[in-house]
Amino acid sequence: MSRRYDRSMLPRACYALPALLAALACGRGGQQPDSDYDTRIAAPAYRMQHPVVRVDDAHHNRHSSRTGYAPFASLAEHDGYVVRRNADSFDHIDPHTRILVVVNASSASESQDVSAFSASEVASVRAWVVSGGSLLLVVDHFPYGGAASELAGALGATIGRGMVLDSAHCDSSAAMRDESQLVFSDRNGLLGVHPILRGRDAGERIHRVVTFTGSWVSGPAGATALLQLSADAIHVEPSVRVEQRGSDRLVHVDYAGPSAAGSHTQGTAFTLGRGRVVVMAEAAALTAQRNRDGTRFGMNLPGNDNRQFTLNILHWLSGVL
């Protein structure tokens, strides 16, 4: 039987700007990239040619190749990709870019959850994908869903603004039970059927993926659910109020609801024109981080296939799969 939630069980937050992004995204006690995580690969996918992976750092991104996604970037480099930083608008995407990676972009608005991208940037990214580009769009809980919703919508996807909880399919092996730390596995039937999950051989097959406090995404018609949310999953919606208190501007976030989330996913893949898109509604799963107390979360957490899942996403987007 799934757990019933009432308002007293739902999270609440109040943060002072400009610390909002760090406070919301670092809810596990001050997350940092795991610099000790070994990203070396015995048999890189690319030895002769080296596709360019460009990681966005121009839209108030919580994670970039120099910060929280440094382990992701290092893993990609060891697999034979060239990783470059994007410091410009998306009005003109570098033609040498094979995969564009956008992680937790946000806006400069008070609540930081309005579109992080101009209308011309949204149109440019869509046109680039349709003409054959590959996009990895990654968002977390508030405020990142709202900041990416217009871009996702132009691609045919819809992203939630809040966070997803699932008492029946959370990671029971975690030191502290966290109903937002979700498990997708062969055993619970929440993994989809897609080349990303099959890999190139049996050694690359994905059996278990763990996510760490995300929202939800639904793809367009024909999209494949990589990480299907269960019938027990619920979504809690943020209610945001901005308060000026002296020289400080406070952003109050109440999570209310809940509503059923089982028709959505935390990861989806689809084609658009000649291009390919993967949208993940949780960011930590594709990198390696540590809390202030040293505990690991992400691909560095033992007992999951997140590392290979990350590589398989890159392989599909670049055409190896």
Side-chain angles (χ1 to χ4, degrees):
M1 178 179 292
S2 62
R3 174 177 170 182
R4 298 180 63 87
Y5 295 83
D6 60 40
R7 290 182 62 86
S8 66
M9 301 175 183
L10 302 179
R12 174 178 296 176
C14 173
Y15 303 102
L17 292 178
L20 171 66
L21 284 181
L24 284 177
C26 297
R28 286 181 165 78
Q31 63 195 37
Q32 297 292 330
D34 186 352
S35 58
D36 295 327
Y37 180 64
D38 187 355
T39 58
R40 290 175 295 179
I41 294 175
Y46 290 97
R47 296 176 182 271
M48 303 298 292
Q49 56 177 322
H50 301 284
V52 174
V53 174
R54 194 170 295 275
V55 182
D56 187 37
D57 196 14
H59 297 89
H60 305 282
N61 303 78
R62 167 58 190 156
H63 293 312
S64 73
S65 60
R66 302 185 302 175
T67 57
Y69 258 48
F72 168 93
S74 179
L75 184 70
E77 287 174 338
H78 280 117
D79 202 34
Y81 296 91
V82 173
V83 178
R84 293 178 178 162
R85 172 177 173 252
N86 176 71
D88 302 314
S89 80
F90 291 152
D91 287 320
H92 302 286
I93 298 172
D94 187 291
H96 297 104
T97 302
R98 185 67 190 90
I99 302 172
L100 178 62
V101 180
V102 183
V103 188
N104 282 353
S106 65
S107 72
S109 67
E110 286 187 328
S111 61
Q112 298 177 316
D113 66 336
V114 301
S115 180
F117 314 100
S118 68
S120 61
E121 286 183 298
V122 169
S124 176
V125 172
R126 188 185 192 284
W128 178 78
V129 172
V130 168
S131 66
S134 290
L135 173 68
L136 173 57
L137 177 61
V138 185
V139 300
D140 261 328
H141 49 73
F142 176 88
Y144 305 109
S149 61
E150 289 188 17
L151 176 57
L155 304 171
T158 306
I159 299 175
R161 294 177 65 247
M163 69 174 67
V164 170
L165 308 172
D166 189 339
S167 62
H169 299 89
C170 59
D171 187 5
S172 59
S173 66
M176 294 183 62
R177 183 178 177 85
D178 183 343
E179 294 178 6
S180 68
Q181 185 167 316
L182 308 184
V183 175
F184 304 84
S185 67
D186 290 338
R187 184 174 182 178
N188 65 23
L190 298 179
L191 291 174
V193 178
H194 191 271
I196 288 173
L197 299 168
R198 289 196 301 270
R200 293 174 293 179
D201 54 43
E204 293 184 355
R205 183 180 176 89
I206 305 304
H207 300 284
R208 189 176 191 267
V209 173
V210 181
T211 63
F212 305 84
T213 310
S215 188
W216 60 261
V217 58
S218 287
T224 298
L226 303 174
L227 309 176
Q228 178 65 53
L229 291 169
S230 81
D232 298 285
I234 61 104
H235 175 253
V236 290
E237 187 77 13
S239 175
V240 183
R241 178 173 57 87
V242 179
E243 174 193 359
Q244 190 72 39
R245 185 178 298 172
S247 61
D248 291 328
R249 183 176 294 123
L250 304 181
V251 176
H252 300 266
V253 184
D254 268 320
Y255 284 92
S259 60
S263 62
H264 304 303
T265 81
Q266 278 201 326
T268 185
F270 54 93
T271 58
L272 182 64
R274 292 188 286 126
R276 294 181 172 186
V277 179
V278 172
V279 184
M280 283 285 295
E282 200 281 310
L286 305 186
T287 189
Q289 298 177 86
R290 284 178 180 266
N291 291 321
R292 188 176 291 120
D293 64 7
T295 57
R296 296 179 174 90
F297 62 103
M299 66 175 73
N300 54 343
L301 183 71
N304 67 54
D305 295 326
N306 289 36
R307 175 190 173 106
Q308 190 62 54
F309 181 60
T310 302
L311 288 170
N312 288 1
I313 288 173
L314 290 171
H315 293 169
W316 184 73
L317 288 172
S318 63
V320 173
L321 285 175

